Amino acid sequence: MTDRLVLASSGRVVVWPCYLPRSCGSASSRPPGSDVATVEDVRWLGSSLERSYQVYVRGRLKFRVKQIVYVAFSLDETEMGFAFPKEERAALVAAQPHRFHLPRPSDLRFNWVEADLAALDPAEAREFVVDAWRMVVPKKLSRAYDLAHPDGPG
């Protein structure tokens, strides 16, 4: 573990440990419960959030609320793109370029950032999914989630 990053996200300060990327195979081939995130670590969460549903677009798993995509995975399931405030993404990418990167130039207009799943732990990936979901739902749903899950997404 290296230094820590502090970001203001969703009106609160969040501290995440910085993990170095792993150099072992595909994220989807890792066993459940390992210390790196996989698609399966967040699939159940994305499907269980209110108004959220999963779709496959050109073979890629995406989570939506209505027509708004808030999480998407690469075809090989090694990267996760998620909604993230534009104002904060440059700082996130600059602080941890081995974990996060900007989307392709045509997607820079969106509130979006991408992460290497092998560099995230499962709890951290779930927190990013919930924070992305918060950006696309009404505040009353976000508040209701906080009341029902005071310790976060687990």
Side-chain angles (χ1 to χ4, degrees):
M1 211 160 48
T2 60
D3 48 323
R4 299 170 76 83
L5 172 70
V6 179
L7 287 176
S9 176
S10 302
R12 63 187 190 278
V13 175
V14 180
V15 179
W16 291 300
C18 300
Y19 296 93
L20 297 175
R22 310 292 194 270
S23 59
C24 48
S26 152
S28 59
S29 67
R30 291 189 183 86
S34 71
D35 63 341
V36 295
T38 66
V39 171
E40 296 307 318
D41 291 325
V42 298
R43 182 190 305 267
W44 64 270
L45 177 62
S47 298
S48 68
L49 293 169
E50 192 158 346
R51 299 187 187 182
S52 176
Y53 62 97
Q54 69 178 19
V55 296
Y56 282 89
V57 178
R58 296 185 192 104
R60 293 179 52 184
L61 174 63
K62 297 182 180 200
F63 289 96
R64 292 182 176 170
V65 171
K66 293 190 178 181
Q67 294 299 317
I68 302 173
V69 174
Y70 67 93
V71 172
F73 294 93
S74 62
L75 276 173
D76 61 2
E77 298 181 348
T78 59
E79 292 186 359
M80 177 175 78
F82 52 95
F84 195 82
K86 281 186 207 178
E87 307 80 42
E88 298 176 17
R89 74 177 171 196
L92 178 71
V93 171
Q96 299 179 35
H98 60 280
R99 300 175 74 202
F100 302 101
H101 60 275
L102 294 173
R104 61 183 177 217
S106 62
D107 291 337
L108 285 174
R109 66 182 186 262
F110 301 114
N111 291 311
W112 199 258
V113 73
E114 297 184 359
D116 177 17
L117 275 175
L120 301 177
D121 65 59
E124 186 177 33
R126 288 189 296 268
E127 184 69 29
F128 282 126
V129 169
V130 171
D131 284 345
W133 172 80
R134 289 177 197 280
M135 291 181 67
V136 299
V137 296
K139 290 186 194 288
K140 69 179 183 176
L141 287 181
S142 182
R143 285 192 296 269
Y145 180 86
D146 288 341
L147 291 173
H149 303 89
D151 296 327

